[in-house]
Amino acid sequence: EDQVTQSPEALRLQEGESSSLNCSYTVSGLRGLFWYRQDPGKGPEFLFTLYSAGEEKEKERLKATLTKKESFLHITAPKPEDSATYLCAVQAWETSGSRLTFGEGTQLTVNP
Amino acid sequence: DTAVSQTPKYLVTQMGNDKSIKCEQNLGHDTMYWYKQDSKKFLKIMFSYNNKELIINETVPNRFSPKSPDKAHLNLHINSLELGDSAVYFCASSQQAGDEQYFGPGTRLTVT
């Protein structure tokens, strides 16, 4: 069974204080690892897909990296508007379907 | 234009009632999904349709029945609602099974 564990559960940062969120996974053949951002009362918003170990993707202050066992979401010089819950999900190779298995998320708060 | 829309946004009903949630996507995607997010914010897939064909059917009570009248719509009907059905239900879509998924705003269901 695919499993995703995110840490920490919650993270408070001061504006400008860089940090990283962790996503550890076990999956029977990784097809893709996805990062989403979820604001309160809204649906998850797609950020990145990573497909193979060593791959990196960047978007503004966010950078996602992938190894064979985990992914990191690095946040450089965060701003208050980066406050949200960040969700990691994995997708395994299957004969049919494309289920995403989500972690429980990291709730990030960036204080001004 | 809203990419993935759901109605209603809020649904409050009594135990034993039957209710439906509607989802529409205007992205031209082939695959649509239903997820349930519980009080701990954990997102879990329920169903997936590809070109109106059911491809994922997780262990969900028979009281839940998805229906896809066409590629752009995926509705969720719930019979004999129970207290434990209270959650936020998200619809999502992707170009094809395996691609990144785009989520709707969610429907908060409260069963009293």
Side-chain angles (χ1 to χ4, degrees):
Chain A
E1 185 180 331
D2 304 336
Q3 286 193 321
V4 177
T5 304
Q6 292 187 245
S7 61
E9 285 184 20
L11 181 63
R12 284 185 178 275
L13 299 173
Q14 287 299 121
E15 185 171 1
E17 180 187 0
S18 300
S19 188
S20 297
L21 313 183
N22 178 262
C23 170
S24 297
Y25 65 90
T26 55
V27 63
S28 54
L30 181 70
R31 184 176 189 172
L33 185 141
F34 299 79
W35 281 99
Y36 284 84
R37 167 192 172 128
Q38 187 173 22
D39 293 298
K42 296 191 175 181
E45 176 189 340
F46 171 72
L47 293 174
F48 305 109
T49 311
L50 301 167
Y51 294 104
S52 57
E55 190 175 359
E56 299 183 352
K57 288 198 176 168
E58 287 188 67
K59 180 180 178 179
E60 296 180 357
R61 296 176 292 282
L62 300 177
K63 178 177 165 180
T65 62
L66 181 65
T67 73
K68 288 186 178 179
K69 292 183 179 180
E70 57 192 349
S71 177
F72 291 93
L73 185 65
H74 308 277
I75 304 176
T76 303
K79 298 183 178 182
E81 53 262 41
D82 295 322
S83 298
T85 296
Y86 290 85
L87 300 169
C88 171
V90 296
Q91 189 176 70
W93 285 104
E94 299 177 70
T95 54
S96 66
S98 56
R99 62 176 51 79
L100 290 179
T101 300
F102 280 87
E104 296 196 23
T106 293
Q107 186 174 350
L108 174 66
T109 304
V110 182
N111 295 316
Chain B
D1 281 346
T2 304
V4 182
S5 59
Q6 297 178 225
T7 53
K9 183 153 178 67
Y10 300 97
L11 186 52
V12 181
T13 188
Q14 292 185 327
M15 284 176 56
N17 286 348
D18 302 339
K19 290 293 178 186
S20 292
I21 306 172
K22 295 186 176 182
C23 177
E24 176 181 1
Q25 54 95 3
N26 62 6
L27 298 168
H29 288 171
D30 287 345
T31 310
M32 296 185 73
Y33 312 81
W34 277 112
Y35 285 86
K36 179 180 180 180
Q37 189 170 47
D38 61 24
S39 55
K40 292 187 176 180
K41 309 296 183 186
F42 185 57
L43 260 174
K44 189 170 168 67
I45 191 161
M46 301 173 69
F47 303 103
S48 175
Y49 272 76
N50 186 58
N51 275 321
K52 301 195 298 174
E53 181 186 348
L54 181 66
I55 56 173
I56 294 176
N57 186 355
E58 290 295 286
T59 309
V60 175
N62 301 358
R63 300 181 293 103
F64 290 79
S65 54
K67 282 191 172 58
S68 182
D70 56 58
K71 261 178 38 171
H73 296 84
L74 179 61
N75 303 323
L76 183 65
H77 188 75
I78 316 170
N79 289 327
S80 304
L81 278 155
E82 300 178 357
L83 292 176
D85 298 331
S86 295
V88 181
Y89 292 84
F90 287 100
C91 176
S93 73
S94 64
Q95 182 63 55
Q96 295 176 13
D99 292 340
E100 65 270 15
Q101 297 174 20
Y102 293 87
F103 285 76
T107 296
R108 181 174 292 278
L109 171 65
T110 303
V111 182
T112 62

